[in-house]
Amino acid sequence: MQKLPTGAYRCIKRTGKFPVAVCRRDQLGLESLGKTSEKEPDRENNEESRALPWYLQVQTPSQEPKSISERQRLPDLPPEPPPLLQPMLQHISVDLGLDDLYLLDLRDLDPPPALGANLLMVIGTARSEKHLHVSADRLCRWLRTTHRLTPYADGLLGRGELRLKLKRKNRRARMLNSVGASDSSNTDDGIRTGWVCVNIGMVEDGRESPLKAVELKDDNYVGFGGEISGVKVVVQMLTEEKREELDLETLWSQALARYTRRKDRILKGQVEEAATSDHLGPPLGFNASSSTLSLGP
């Protein structure tokens, strides 16, 4: 029980009432006691989290993980797609297990990409470095055996090449350990690529190519070039970290948006120019029947 000061006893004996200052002080003491009792569980939780090792601590994810159906959903096909596109997307998603497929239709992009004109690009996410190389290798084998195509996978490490690189890396680590040093640099060792570009090449297109050469009736014309038939298909396989770093979807979507705005601006200028010429009419002294311009009366 709390001991009252002597002044409080005198105040009670003289007035018969409890002093207000003592009541307020007791009230503040109870509030501070309640606050400390509320802080104690938080302090205990922090101490418990510090006592746990790092591999047992649960961190709340910054983004909610997608469901399996959302990750394996096939993208919508573009208008007049090539016949190979639908079975290839099905094979990449179901048989190879790549997630978050994204399709970019770059057939109308002008100037064309560095990979070639009349291009269709597919982007997919692999679940690990090993899954990335195995999926790229199996896709190339499937295209060769099933569709008789000759794809080229840039960044793919073959079995013999991967074994050779690992042997060289282990030899380098043994040499550094023999002299008492360690390779702590975060340089690219050529093993963790994180990105494989499978260039399938030209396949049959589902529409007439807009880049056909103009048929010239003049036999005396000297030049080069020819009709461009088919569409080029490229599959970009990346790990999740590499895909977030490069962000190819945003890069090519912005390029398509800029091309669309420029095309609309040019068409709008042509329409305004045609409307202005129609409004002004033929020049003064123009004879429509003879299609000549009269300079005198």
Side-chain angles (χ1 to χ4, degrees):
M1 188 172 180
Q2 188 178 3
K3 185 178 179 181
L4 296 176
T6 57
Y9 287 111
R10 293 175 184 174
C11 182
I12 294 172
K13 188 181 291 186
R14 186 174 62 252
T15 60
K17 297 180 179 180
F18 201 78
V20 179
V22 176
C23 294
R24 185 171 299 172
R25 185 181 62 188
D26 294 341
Q27 184 179 3
L28 292 174
L30 291 174
E31 290 179 355
S32 62
L33 181 62
K35 290 180 179 178
T36 54
S37 63
E38 291 176 357
K39 292 181 179 179
E40 286 178 358
D42 297 338
R43 188 180 303 171
E44 291 177 358
N45 293 334
N46 293 333
E47 291 177 355
E48 290 178 359
S49 62
R50 291 176 182 175
L52 285 174
W54 62 269
Y55 51 84
L56 293 179
Q57 294 179 6
V58 179
Q59 296 181 355
T60 56
S62 58
Q63 297 179 356
E64 294 183 359
K66 297 181 180 179
S67 61
I68 298 178
S69 60
E70 291 179 355
R71 285 184 289 148
Q72 295 182 347
R73 185 179 62 85
L74 296 179
D76 298 332
L77 297 178
E80 300 178 356
L84 175 66
L85 189 58
Q86 177 64 29
M88 188 188 69
L89 291 175
Q90 190 76 17
H91 179 76
I92 292 174
S93 178
V94 177
D95 298 336
L96 302 182
L98 265 68
D99 299 330
D100 299 327
L101 295 183
Y102 192 86
L103 179 62
L104 286 165
D105 188 1
L106 307 177
R107 290 180 288 183
D108 296 333
L109 188 61
D110 187 26
L115 290 171
N118 209 15
L119 179 69
L120 283 174
M121 185 181 295
V122 180
I123 304 175
T125 303
R127 300 171 187 175
S128 64
E129 190 76 26
K130 183 178 181 180
H131 182 218
L132 173 70
H133 292 282
V134 170
S135 301
D137 183 61
R138 289 182 178 177
L139 178 61
C140 293
R141 292 173 183 269
W142 179 76
L143 291 170
R144 291 191 190 101
T145 57
T146 308
H147 298 279
R148 304 300 178 185
L149 297 173
T150 56
Y152 173 73
D154 190 9
L156 175 63
L157 295 178
R159 299 172 184 175
E161 185 179 4
L162 181 60
R163 191 182 301 111
L164 179 61
K165 286 182 178 291
L166 288 174
K167 186 184 295 185
R168 290 176 178 174
K169 185 178 180 181
N170 294 333
R171 185 189 306 168
R172 177 182 173 84
R174 286 196 302 268
M175 292 175 60
L176 290 174
N177 290 332
S178 63
V179 297
S182 61
D183 188 9
S184 59
S185 61
N186 193 18
T187 57
D188 186 10
D189 53 4
I191 299 175
R192 298 183 300 271
T193 58
W195 182 13
V196 176
C197 176
V198 181
N199 192 341
I200 299 174
M202 302 297 292
V203 299
E204 181 184 355
D205 197 358
R207 67 173 186 174
E208 187 178 0
S209 176
L211 299 176
K212 285 188 175 181
V214 179
E215 295 182 0
L216 298 173
K217 298 181 180 180
D218 189 4
D219 297 335
N220 297 326
Y221 177 80
V222 178
F224 61 91
E227 181 179 341
I228 300 177
S229 60
V231 58
K232 179 173 284 189
V233 181
V234 172
V235 181
Q236 306 280 7
M237 298 183 177
L238 306 99
T239 58
E240 187 175 359
E241 297 80 8
K242 199 71 174 180
R243 185 169 181 176
E244 292 178 357
E245 177 187 352
L246 296 177
D247 198 6
L248 296 178
E249 297 94 328
T250 305
L251 174 67
W252 289 111
S253 299
Q254 291 177 355
L256 279 173
R258 288 194 299 268
Y259 168 71
T260 304
R261 289 195 299 268
R262 185 172 69 250
K263 184 178 179 180
D264 294 341
R265 189 165 57 248
I266 293 174
L267 290 176
K268 184 178 179 181
Q270 291 177 354
V271 171
E272 292 178 353
E273 184 179 355
T276 304
S277 61
D278 293 342
H279 177 70
L280 294 176
L284 184 63
F286 181 77
N287 188 357
S289 59
S290 61
S291 299
T292 57
L293 185 63
S294 177
L295 299 178

